[in-house]
């Protein structure tokens, strides 16, 4: 079979996937790397390692494809949004890549909002003004290190970094990732002059924006290492979130996609850019006439990983030598499922990495409310899962406020392997949740977009029929009603404690530099 290889660069792993026109994932691999936390509010990746990981994943999958007797007809790319790194004139990284989880630009995003410009910028660019966005990150450089900002020949995110290693030509960026920078006018299709003025960069320091179906060519050395023919098409691809919709078949009207990986997101596809006047939803491109409307949350699988790291000591089932953290987390979730819905009155604000949608307020921190002596580890872990799913439900409520109907959710990401996660998600959203037959939703989406780009999949809506569904989880009516009653308490609590938590954070001593191990990365 002719196949496309999708390369999906995530927060803690790069995945390689091979799939053909039948939508079946035939080969997959993962290359992991640590997320560095060098100081309070910081979250960085080694940009050069991202390039190496993409090449490693491509070579591994290409070899496996050949061993199966299949033929690679193209390579297509996916990347997580909101990264930023200084680049040399030849595209070589000059420093670490600052990720979406990095909050160093909180003061800058707050100042932009205080000027009253945030809503109009979001309406034009599709990206909320928030510390995650490259707009705010560049404003941080403008304030803290203006010489570096001025003298850096190029600035780019994950896609530009990876393309610098895989492509043989050009300094280009796809429309999808550009629409997540906060600096690209999605209506006029140009870098936004006001945003660039705030960021302190010139248009020539940023990449040329091209359609997501644009075909480049693999660098000859990369093609040779992967055993692929010279001139193999390299489809520039899109951002991970919109591609996850495609990869789980969430393309028809009313069908949304939920991603539950390191972070999370809820998205629906619409046929034109939509400006949410209340400033609660983002709008990112999949193609020039398909756009993902939705909201991302900072905390999903990372919250359970934190729970495993902090609550597993003395766990009844001791960890075996060298046991994988995923196994430990799965055991915690089984234990947490024994606690009742609502966690016996325990509420978790799971904002360990701050938070994004639907409020887009920087400086948020996590908290447990309602703790009593009878609450145990199972309650604490279950409350964290409920807090994450309730945050996604707050995003879903925003769609309802905009009179956008949502009838079904298709879920992807590492967390969907847990019955607790899926059951709580269905009840919180009060919608049936379908699980795609592949955990590689984003990588498969990259493959399908690649097939579309080379003409083998003319209509992207056909992708929905290609995706096998393993089953539907319908919401428990009692649990759905309980979570509906609890949701206003989350909003009240988050509003009430934000100032206190922010002040506490300013008084806390700076943590030592550290790294976070892979958490089952997923799109945001």
């Amino acid at each position: 079979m002719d196949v496309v290889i999708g390369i999906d660069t995530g927060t803690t792993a790069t995945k390689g996937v091979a799939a053909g026109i039948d939508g079946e994932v035939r080969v997959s691999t993962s290359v992991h790397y640590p997320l560095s936390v060098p100081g309070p509010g910081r979250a960085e990746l080694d940009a050069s390692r991202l390039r190496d990981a993409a090449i490693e994943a491509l070579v591994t999958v290409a070899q496996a494809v050949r061993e199966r007797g299949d033929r690679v007809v193209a390579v297509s790319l996916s990347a997580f949004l909101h990264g930023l790194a200084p680049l040399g004139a030849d595209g070589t990284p000059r420093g670490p890549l600052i990720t979406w989880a990095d909050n160093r630009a909180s003061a800058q995003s707050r100042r932009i909002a205080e000027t009253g410009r945030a809503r109009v910028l979001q309406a034009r660019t599709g990206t909320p003004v928030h510390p995650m966005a490259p707009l705010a990150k560049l404003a941080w450089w403008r304030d803290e290190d203006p010489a570096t900002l001025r003298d850096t020949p190029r600035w780019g995110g994950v896609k530009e970094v990876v393309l610098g290693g895989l492509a043989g030509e050009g300094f280009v960026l796809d429309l999808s990732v550009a629409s997540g920078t906060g600096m690209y006018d999605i209506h006029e299709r140009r870098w936004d002059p006001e945003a660039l003025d705030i960021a302190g960069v010139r248009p020539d320091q940023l990449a040329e924006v091209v359609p997501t179906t644009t075909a480049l060519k693999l660098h000859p050395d990369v093609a040779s290492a992967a055993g692929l023919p010279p001139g193999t098409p390299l489809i520039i691809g899109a951002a991970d979130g919109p591609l996850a919709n495609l990869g789980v078949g969430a393309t028809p009207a009313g069908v949304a996609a939920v991603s539950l990986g390191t972070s999370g997101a809820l998205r629906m596809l619409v046929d034109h850019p939509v400006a949410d006047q209340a400033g609660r939803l983002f709008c990112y491109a999949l193609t020039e006439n398909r756009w993902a409307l939705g909201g991302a949350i900072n905390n999903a699988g990372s919250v359970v990983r934190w729970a495993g790291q902090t609550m597993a000591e003395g766990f009844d089932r001791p960890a075996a030598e060298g046991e994988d953290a995923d196994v430990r987390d799965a055991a915690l979730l089984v234990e947490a499922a024994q606690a009742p819905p609502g966690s016996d009155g325990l509420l978790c604000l799971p904002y360990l990495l701050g938070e994004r949608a639907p409020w887009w307020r920087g400086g948020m921190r996590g908290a447990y409310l309602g703790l009593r002596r009878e609450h145990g580890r199972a309650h604490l872990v279950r409350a964290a899962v409920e807090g994450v799913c309730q945050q996604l439900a707050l995003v879903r409520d925003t769609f309802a406020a905009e009179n956008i109907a949502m009838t079904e959710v298709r879920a992807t990401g590492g967390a969907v392997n847990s019955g607790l996660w899926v059951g709580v998600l269905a009840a919180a959203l009060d919608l049936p949740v379908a699980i795609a037959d592949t955990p590689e939703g984003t990588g498969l989406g990259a493959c399908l977009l690649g097939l579309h780009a080379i003409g083998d999949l003319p209509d992207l809506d056909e992708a929905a029929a290609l995706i096998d569904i393993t089953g539907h989880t319908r919401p428990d009516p009692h649990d759905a009603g309980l979570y509906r009653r609890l949701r206003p308490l989350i909003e009240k609590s988050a509003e009430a404690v934000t100032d206190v938590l922010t002040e506490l954070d300013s008084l806390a001593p700076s943590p030592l530099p550290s790294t976070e191990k892979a958490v089952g990365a997923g799109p945001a």
Side-chain angles (χ1 to χ4, degrees), residues 337-434:
Q338 305 307 307
S343 302
D344 281 332
L346 181 62
L347 198 68
C348 177
L349 305 182
Y351 313 137
L352 304 181
L353 294 171
E355 194 48 286
R356 289 183 280 177
W359 306 312
W360 306 102
R361 293 197 299 260
M364 299 187 74
R365 295 295 181 266
Y368 280 100
L369 300 173
L371 270 171
R372 300 193 306 271
R373 185 176 62 178
E374 58 266 32
H375 287 133
R377 181 171 54 213
H379 295 91
L380 291 165
V381 177
R382 183 180 184 113
V385 171
E386 291 176 335
V388 170
C389 294
Q390 288 278 54
Q391 197 69 24
L392 287 168
L394 287 167
V395 178
R396 183 244 190 275
D397 292 346
T398 299
F399 280 87
E402 294 290 318
N403 295 314
I404 300 174
M406 192 177 296
T407 58
E408 179 186 329
V409 168
R410 294 193 173 190
T412 185
V416 301
N417 295 318
S418 161
L420 175 64
W421 271 110
V422 176
V424 173
L425 179 66
L429 297 178
D430 199 9
L431 288 169
V433 174

Side-chain angles (χ1 to χ4, degrees), residues 4-8 15-19 57 61 74-78 443-444 446-447:
V4 171
I5 294 178
I7 300 298
D8 172 29
K15 296 184 178 181
V17 174
V61 173
V75 177
S76 183
L77 301 182
S78 166
L444 176 57
C447 295

Side-chain angles (χ1 to χ4, degrees), residues 112-285:
I112 295 170
E114 288 169 351
T115 66
R117 303 161 93 176
R119 290 286 176 83
V120 293
L121 282 166
Q122 180 174 350
R124 288 202 307 270
T125 67
T127 302
V129 173
H130 186 271
M132 68 175 185
L135 168 65
K137 290 178 169 72
L138 285 167
W140 179 87
W141 251 288
R142 178 202 62 206
D143 294 344
E144 301 295 329
D145 191 356
T148 295
L149 180 69
R150 180 188 65 245
D151 297 338
T152 296
R154 295 177 174 179
W155 290 92
V158 177
K159 189 64 73 74
E160 295 96 315
V161 166
V162 171
L163 281 170
L166 294 182
E169 75 260 58
F171 183 44
V172 293
L173 176 63
D174 62 85
L175 173 64
S176 183
V177 174
S179 65
T181 62
M183 299 184 291
Y184 190 78
D185 189 326
I186 60 177
H187 308 283
E188 296 294 329
R189 307 293 171 88
R190 61 171 184 170
W191 291 112
D192 186 83
E194 181 182 8
L196 296 192
D197 180 64
I198 293 171
V201 293
R202 308 179 305 273
D204 65 337
Q205 290 176 284
L206 304 176
E208 175 191 357
V209 179
V210 299
T212 59
T213 53
T214 297
L216 308 172
K217 293 181 180 179
L218 274 178
H219 191 285
D221 292 344
V222 175
S224 175
L228 298 177
T232 296
L234 175 64
I235 309 304
I236 193 169
D240 55 0
L243 285 172
N245 278 62
L246 183 58
V248 298
T251 54
V255 180
V258 163
S259 301
L260 279 172
T262 304
S263 58
L266 175 68
R267 301 168 302 273
M268 283 180 63
L269 294 185
V270 294
D271 60 9
H272 62 278
V274 173
D276 167 30
Q277 297 304 317
R280 295 166 296 187
L281 299 174
F282 59 60
C283 187
Y284 304 145

